[in-house]
Amino acid sequence: MAVLSSLELPNGSYNDDGHQIRTGTLWTAIAHILTAVIGSGVLSLAWSVAQLGWIAGPISMFCFAMVTCVSSFLLSHCYRYPDPVTGARHHFYMDAVKTYLGTRKQTWICGFLQILSMYGFGIAYVITTSISMRAIQKSNCYHKEGHQAPCTYGDSFYMLLFGAIQIVCSQIPDFRNMEWLSILASIMSFSYASIGFALGFAKVIGNRRVKGSISGVQTATIAQKVWKVSQALGDIAFAYPYSVILIEIQDTLKSPPPENQTMKKASMTAVLITTFFYLCCGCFGYAAFGDQTPGNLLTGFGFYEPYWLIDFANACIVLHLVGGYQVFSQPVFAVFEKWCAEKVPNSGFVNNSYTIKIPQLPVLRINLLRLCFRTCYVLSTTGLAMLFPYFNQVLGLLGALNFWPLTIYFPVQMYFVQRKIEPWTRNWIILQSFSFFCLLVSLIALVGSVEGLISERLS
């Protein structure tokens, strides 16, 4: 077993900024975005449309898609400083905030919210994976015993199993080494989103009518309707979450062409693809089930047959979320490990990698800090998921927390500095109005999601 210091790696494999040669392309960027975006959120969109109704539901999806595009364009220009094409690179979202806004307070707030959001996504993915694993078992039970059979199974075993898989996957060194996993996860996301759309479409044809109404699901009181609508907005906000890792994805791209140009093309393409699938799954799911639309389209058992297709779709969800968990976890790993390397540059525990050669297998490089920290990180997300296994409420809460500060506020403020936009000019007023409107939506979604989570916990 050989010990290799990070300072002894071949010089030819590094850029002038000390990072590995960037090999990312338009297609790998799209794969990373799709892995992040078409995640567990797509499964709750039929329920969200059901709460909002036939007019407000699709319009909300279009609005969030447009907001995401605008935000990604603003943020992609802030990857380099001061010039968006030739300036110094930023490797993390937090680095860009520090450079552009220059205050320690805002940098810490951004870093805290970003890490909290990505940590929360990990918790949500553990919950979703366990639900999908359990759904496979329930689907087979219903097929054998009938739809009225109890077929009750717990979540804990599946959460622990997913956690064990993530402990292994978390040893992937960084974002640049997981392109293959993102591509696999993207294929899986297309597969189960297509199956959800096809099953909804087939059920609408079988029903010979479109269910649902303009006002959405009827509730006993106006207050209940407000809470449900608020939570639905939070779920849709969760479905477009990749601004939180856009800088990290952009940092994998090779140049030329300029990274901001490639990133804008990737963002537009990915958002168009995801919005198409979101509308198909959300609208056809609501059209198929109406007021009885389940919170999770493929695990709520509005669909029972063909059971093998439902099993396959849920297996695709599990495989996709293996990659999705890593997309949101790798930036957290990188920030912590970079901080440790700066604090204790001479520590072998932090900086040395141990090379292990096993016959017939690729060479393994193990870093002790990586092994210990990442294992503890996965264990913590798994433990919290076991305490709060509430799918829709967790998605809405995460979407509301993440949406305004990281998707809107910081990109807008950094863009002002990057483009030298003066206060009270036309562009300043437009972007500030855009930011304020998104803040109101985020607050509404946050209140509804907190209320839903508390209600579920107390019930």
Side-chain angles (χ1 to χ4, degrees):
M1 182 170 65
V3 180
L4 186 65
S5 169
S6 60
L7 299 177
E8 297 172 353
L9 294 171
N11 291 330
S13 62
Y14 282 76
N15 282 307
D16 55 3
D17 63 348
H19 283 243
Q20 289 182 352
I21 293 291
R22 294 166 175 83
T23 59
T25 64
L26 172 67
W27 299 108
T28 61
I30 291 173
H32 285 316
I33 295 171
L34 291 177
T35 301
V37 177
I38 303 184
S40 54
V42 68
L43 304 176
S44 69
L45 291 179
W47 181 90
S48 298
V49 173
Q51 308 310 312
L52 295 167
W54 274 121
I55 295 178
I59 289 177
S60 296
M61 287 192 208
F62 276 119
C63 289
F64 277 102
M66 292 175 62
V67 166
T68 303
C69 280
V70 171
S71 170
S72 64
F73 286 1
L74 298 179
L75 201 52
S76 65
H77 282 290
C78 300
Y79 170 63
R80 288 180 179 263
Y81 179 85
D83 186 271
V85 176
T86 61
R89 296 181 181 94
H90 295 111
H91 309 301
F92 304 106
Y93 193 135
M94 200 186 324
D95 293 342
V97 172
K98 182 178 181 180
T99 300
Y100 280 98
L101 302 185
T103 65
R104 184 180 180 88
K105 181 180 178 180
Q106 295 216 57
T107 303
W108 277 101
I109 291 173
C110 171
F112 172 76
L113 289 175
Q114 186 186 19
I115 291 173
L116 178 65
S117 296
M118 291 187 288
Y119 185 77
F121 290 140
I123 296 171
Y125 282 9
V126 175
I127 295 171
T128 310
T129 302
S130 69
I131 292 172
S132 293
M133 288 180 173
R134 185 182 61 184
I136 293 173
Q137 198 170 10
K138 291 179 70 173
S139 174
N140 294 333
C141 175
Y142 286 136
H143 179 71
K144 292 178 182 178
E145 306 295 336
H147 298 171
Q148 304 305 317
C151 296
T152 302
Y153 303 96
D155 292 320
S156 298
F157 171 77
Y158 300 113
M159 291 184 181
L160 292 172
L161 180 61
F162 182 73
I165 293 170
Q166 287 304 335
I167 288 174
V168 176
C169 291
S170 291
Q171 297 310 307
I172 296 173
D174 55 38
F175 237 129
R176 299 177 186 84
N177 296 103
M178 58 171 289
E179 291 177 354
W180 63 272
L181 186 58
S182 285
I183 292 171
L184 174 64
S186 297
I187 294 171
M188 294 299 101
S189 66
F190 279 126
S191 299
Y192 70 73
S194 299
I195 291 171
F197 158 56
L199 289 172
F201 180 76
K203 191 167 183 65
V204 171
I205 298 299
N207 292 339
R208 296 185 178 181
R209 69 187 184 92
V210 174
K211 295 184 178 181
S213 64
I214 292 176
S215 60
V217 175
Q218 300 300 313
T219 58
T221 65
I222 295 177
Q224 289 179 346
K225 182 67 175 179
V226 171
W227 296 136
K228 294 294 185 183
V229 168
S230 301
Q231 188 178 320
L233 291 174
D235 285 358
I236 297 175
F238 178 86
Y240 290 97
Y242 78 96
S243 293
V244 71
I245 55 170
L246 186 143
I247 294 290
E248 286 79 358
I249 294 174
Q250 193 165 341
D251 192 44
T252 67
L253 298 176
K254 62 182 179 181
S255 180
E259 299 93 346
N260 62 336
Q261 292 183 15
T262 303
M263 198 66 205
K264 285 194 287 187
K265 291 179 182 178
S267 296
M268 178 62 76
T269 303
V271 169
L272 286 174
I273 292 171
T274 55
T275 302
F276 170 76
F277 276 105
Y278 285 0
L279 286 170
C280 289
C281 289
C283 293
F284 277 102
Y286 182 40
F289 297 109
D291 288 358
Q292 304 305 314
T293 302
N296 187 315
L297 191 59
L298 288 175
T299 62
F301 287 98
F303 302 117
Y304 290 94
E305 300 291 342
Y307 80 99
W308 59 267
L309 186 60
I310 297 168
D311 287 354
F312 177 72
N314 280 293
C316 289
I317 293 171
V318 172
L319 289 174
H320 169 256
L321 294 183
V322 170
Y325 185 101
Q326 287 302 310
V327 164
F328 284 107
S329 298
Q330 285 292 339
V332 181
F333 300 156
V335 168
F336 179 79
E337 289 162 13
K338 177 187 175 185
W339 180 81
C340 289
E342 291 173 349
K343 291 295 182 182
V344 282
N346 298 319
S347 170
F349 177 82
V350 172
N351 297 296
N352 289 349
S353 293
Y354 297 85
T355 302
I356 302 175
K357 294 183 179 180
I358 301 175
Q360 309 302 322
L361 291 175
V363 174
L364 300 177
R365 292 183 63 239
I366 300 212
N367 175 275
L368 292 179
L369 172 67
R370 181 192 306 157
L371 179 64
C372 295
F373 171 69
R374 298 186 182 191
T375 299
C376 291
Y377 180 93
V378 173
L379 291 175
S380 66
T381 58
T382 304
L384 286 174
M386 294 171 71
L387 289 175
F388 296 97
Y390 311 120
F391 179 74
N392 285 82
Q393 291 76 18
V394 169
L395 295 193
L397 180 61
L398 291 172
L401 282 173
N402 167 60
F403 176 63
W404 182 74
L406 297 177
T407 304
I408 308 299
Y409 174 76
F410 286 116
V412 167
Q413 296 302 315
M414 289 192 291
Y415 188 76
F416 287 158
V417 176
Q418 210 273 331
R419 293 293 187 179
K420 297 180 174 62
I421 297 176
E422 297 293 331
W424 303 110
T425 59
R426 185 181 66 176
N427 288 341
W428 186 90
I429 293 173
I430 291 173
L431 287 174
Q432 288 286 34
S433 300
F434 167 73
S435 178
F436 180 73
F437 173 77
C438 292
L439 172 61
L440 293 179
V441 174
S442 187
L443 290 174
I444 292 171
L446 178 62
V447 171
S449 299
V450 170
E451 189 278 338
L453 187 61
I454 293 173
S455 298
E456 283 292 330
R457 186 62 178 167
L458 295 177
S459 62

